[in-house]
Amino acid sequence: FWLKARCQSCDAGPRLVPAMLSVVARRSLNLARPRVVSALATQGRSYNYGTPVLWIVRYDDPTWDAEREHEYELIPRDEFGVPVSLPPEVSTNIRHTYYVPPQYYPFLKKLGDDTPELKPYTDKLMNGQMTFFDYEEMFYKFAKPLKVHRSQIPMPYRTEEEIKKTAEVTWEGKWLSYRQRVWGDYQTQHHVRDFMVGMALGTFFSWIGVQHMKQYRVDMKLFYLEAPEHKINWVKPRGDL
């Protein structure tokens, strides 16, 4: 194993010291290094305490890094929690039953006595013999669709004065809808016009800048080719080359 140790007698910074761990690593949440995720402190490599952060992630293992380490110790299991390392002919023969605490036995016994149809299932549940398939059988045997009595649902109530104002309220709703449509059309035209004008102005001034640079390059090329005697800081030949 490799342990990171810090030199106490000099400012050389952190260095790697090889050492063999002879003790079992213990996980402790209070010793875990906080992992700060923000614009300035990312991936737990720098800490800017006092600055706003997005979230702080803490792990029970101080050396854990979720982005660099992979956990291969998790055992894959089936829907009943049986490890997949067991062959199917063994795992499918395991009876998975429901467990109910003993304090619920009086209620289940009374429920079975009051409803004889449920007594076989309550007895299985108390004896620890009810499987998921027994539960499905019990559920679909005794489940009943919900009956809705629409005649007993109260209708919304309005007074006579409110009923007389139905046409006025309808006209107000149409008026507000019309105002919203007009305002939406105006905003659309306004922003589209601003966008088109801005793009046109940007294209125009960009074209002017490109033409200026093009003409400048042409002028400088002509200056250096056709009039070398006017060049600034021209190196005069010494005649010995």
Side-chain angles (χ1 to χ4, degrees), residues 71-154:
E71 182 63 79
Y72 296 106
E73 299 177 359
L74 299 178
I75 302 177
R77 302 174 181 270
D78 61 3
E79 64 272 14
F80 293 106
V82 180
V84 297
S85 56
L86 296 178
E89 55 270 13
V90 176
S91 62
T92 53
N93 291 328
I94 302 176
R95 297 180 71 252
H96 303 278
T97 58
Y98 291 97
Y99 168 77
V100 178
Q103 57 264 29
Y104 293 97
Y105 289 172
F107 167 74
L108 292 174
K109 187 175 184 303
K110 186 177 185 303
L111 183 62
D113 295 339
D114 295 342
T115 310
E117 297 84 359
L118 278 175
K119 188 172 179 54
Y121 301 101
T122 54
D123 293 342
K124 283 185 178 181
L125 189 57
M126 288 187 292
N127 296 330
Q129 299 176 356
M130 173 172 278
T131 61
F132 178 72
F133 304 102
D134 297 331
Y135 170 77
E136 281 189 330
E137 180 184 353
M138 179 190 67
F139 178 83
Y140 288 108
K141 182 180 291 185
F142 295 95
K144 297 180 181 179
L146 179 63
K147 186 176 182 180
V148 179
H149 301 274
R150 297 186 179 274
S151 60
Q152 299 182 6
I153 299 178

Side-chain angles (χ1 to χ4, degrees), residues 9-210:
S9 60
C10 60
D11 296 334
R15 59 191 179 92
L16 295 178
V17 178
M20 294 300 295
L21 290 179
S22 59
V23 296
V24 180
R26 293 179 297 177
R27 293 173 178 245
S28 179
L29 186 60
N30 57 351
L31 299 179
R33 182 183 62 180
R35 187 176 182 209
V36 183
V37 182
S38 67
L40 299 178
T42 57
Q43 299 183 356
R45 293 176 176 82
S46 62
Y47 305 100
N48 298 273
Y49 295 102
T51 60
V53 297
L54 300 180
W55 64 83
I56 296 179
V57 182
R58 290 182 179 270
Y59 298 99
D60 57 349
D61 189 353
T63 61
W64 178 261
D65 190 355
E67 294 184 358
R68 294 196 174 190
E69 299 190 29
H70 300 280
E71 182 63 79
Y72 296 106
E73 299 177 359
L74 299 178
I75 302 177
R77 302 174 181 270
D78 61 3
E79 64 272 14
F80 293 106
V82 180
V84 297
S85 56
L86 296 178
E89 55 270 13
V90 176
S91 62
T92 53
N93 291 328
I94 302 176
R95 297 180 71 252
H96 303 278
T97 58
Y98 291 97
Y99 168 77
V100 178
Q103 57 264 29
Y104 293 97
Y105 289 172
F107 167 74
L108 292 174
K109 187 175 184 303
K110 186 177 185 303
L111 183 62
D113 295 339
D114 295 342
T115 310
E117 297 84 359
L118 278 175
K119 188 172 179 54
Y121 301 101
T122 54
D123 293 342
K124 283 185 178 181
L125 189 57
M126 288 187 292
N127 296 330
Q129 299 176 356
M130 173 172 278
T131 61
F132 178 72
F133 304 102
D134 297 331
Y135 170 77
E136 281 189 330
E137 180 184 353
M138 179 190 67
F139 178 83
Y140 288 108
K141 182 180 291 185
F142 295 95
K144 297 180 181 179
L146 179 63
K147 186 176 182 180
V148 179
H149 301 274
R150 297 186 179 274
S151 60
Q152 299 182 6
I153 299 178
M155 298 294 292
Y157 175 76
R158 292 189 301 166
T159 61
E160 296 295 336
E161 291 77 8
E162 293 175 345
I163 294 177
K164 293 180 181 178
K165 293 183 179 180
T166 302
E168 181 180 354
V169 173
T170 304
W171 181 87
E172 290 178 354
K174 293 181 179 180
W175 169 244
L176 292 176
S177 300
Y178 173 74
R179 291 180 58 183
Q180 292 174 355
R181 289 196 301 270
V182 172
W183 178 247
D185 294 342
Y186 170 76
Q187 289 290 333
T188 302
Q189 296 176 7
H190 172 71
H191 290 291
V192 169
R193 181 172 60 249
D194 283 358
F195 174 77
M196 297 303 295
V197 171
M199 290 294 293
L201 292 177
T203 305
F204 174 71
F205 287 107
S206 300
W207 178 79
I208 291 180
V210 170

